[in-house]
Amino acid sequence: MRVPKSLPVLVLAALALVGLATPASAAVGKYVALGDSYSSGLGAGSYGSSGSCKRSANAYPQLWANSHAPSAFTFAACSGAVTQDVLNGQVASVTADTALVTISIGGNDAGFASVMTDCNLSSDSVCVSRNQTAQNFARTTLPGRLDSVYRAIRDRAPSARVVVLGYPRIYKTSGSCVVGLSETKRAAINQSSDVLATVTSARAAAHGFTFVDARTAFSGHEICASGARWLNSVTWPVEESYHPNTAGQNSGYLTALRSVTG
């Protein structure tokens, strides 16, 4: 059988068309970013017109959307949010066609913002006691609140991939800091991060969600660590203290999110 001279050209053209239709080049579906200041990007600057929600152009949700070009993107995370804020307002952005939801929530419910204030202004014993109170809340009351949020997300988007991002440890204990909070205070604060991670990861798993452990993602880059710092210490504006900076949002959270979403 004689092979037509035009066959190679036809084959190449067909392969090109197949390549254009491969799933790898398909558009990413709708993405909704929920949560509190760790998701809104407080501490990373460039808040635009987001007002008190402090949604940063350098926050991991915006960076992920920039690089993945989802078919739609809703940035609903807001600084200061608690679980009830997600239920009352943010979760309405999640719809049946949502493909990806990310969320960090729970730290404000347990009062860790005031814990950090008290630890800076009070004695070791007061700091330890405040952390113990917050940890007890996280163990006993927070699980039910997280369940309510996670159920609402799943009810609104039965097929969505849901990624729950935790909180990093704030300090590297026995690190390079020679001033600031005592080692006793730093250890108590880190223990609170550990309790939050344990509680949040368990509830996320119970709902079939993916948990991203920020303690691992930020390891070696905490305050007092020898590596480049990815978290603000006490800074101005003071509300940005103890939040990820631009490097933390990019190299910490975004890298960790990409590790589970591609």
Side-chain angles (χ1 to χ4, degrees):
M1 179 183 295
R2 174 177 287 181
V3 178
K5 293 182 178 180
S6 60
L7 183 58
V9 176
L10 293 173
V11 170
L12 289 174
L15 289 174
L17 289 172
V18 171
L20 289 173
T22 57
S25 62
V28 177
K30 180 181 177 181
Y31 169 35
V32 178
L34 309 175
D36 54 23
S37 55
Y38 276 68
S39 288
S40 74
L42 177 64
S46 300
Y47 306 117
S49 59
S50 62
S52 62
C53 280
K54 301 294 184 181
R55 297 186 187 103
S56 173
N58 302 310
Y60 76 82
Q62 186 64 62
L63 297 176
W64 193 95
N66 292 347
S67 61
H68 289 73
S71 58
F73 172 51
T74 301
F75 195 177
C78 187
S79 178
V82 295
T83 50
Q84 197 61 47
D85 295 317
V86 176
L87 291 171
N88 289 345
Q90 294 185 27
V91 77
S93 299
V94 179
T95 52
D97 62 339
T98 300
L100 173 66
V101 177
T102 60
I103 183 170
S104 65
I105 201 69
N108 290 325
D109 290 73
F112 283 109
S114 61
V115 165
M116 296 306 300
T117 299
D118 289 344
C119 285
N120 273 276
L121 300 177
S122 302
S123 65
D124 282 5
S125 60
V126 170
C127 177
V128 170
S129 177
R130 286 289 290 111
N131 275 279
Q132 289 173 342
T133 298
Q135 291 165 22
N136 183 60
F137 180 96
R139 293 188 181 102
T140 59
T141 305
L142 186 59
R145 295 190 181 189
L146 293 176
D147 284 341
S148 295
V149 170
Y150 297 163
R151 279 195 299 268
I153 293 171
R154 179 53 73 217
D155 287 346
R156 296 184 67 87
S159 301
R161 172 81 179 275
V162 182
V163 180
V164 177
L165 296 101
Y167 303 95
R169 292 191 182 101
I170 302 296
Y171 290 99
K172 172 68 176 177
T173 53
S174 301
S176 60
C177 293
V178 294
V179 295
L181 300 187
S182 68
E183 280 293 288
T184 297
K185 291 179 177 179
R186 292 168 184 163
I189 292 165
N190 279 0
Q191 186 178 46
S192 292
S193 297
D194 291 341
V195 171
L196 268 179
T198 298
V199 170
T200 306
S201 63
R203 299 326 307 152
H207 291 266
F209 297 167
T210 300
F211 178 72
V212 170
D213 194 338
R215 298 172 302 170
T216 302
F218 281 72
S219 180
H221 300 278
E222 308 92 338
I223 298 171
C224 301
S226 58
R229 184 179 295 177
W230 290 354
L231 291 156
N232 295 322
S233 185
V234 177
T235 189
W236 185 259
V238 70
E239 64 180 359
E240 296 190 355
S241 302
Y242 307 115
H243 283 80
N245 54 28
T246 54
Q249 287 289 335
N250 191 343
S251 300
Y253 273 127
L254 178 63
T255 299
L257 179 58
R258 281 176 168 166
S259 73
V260 298
T261 62

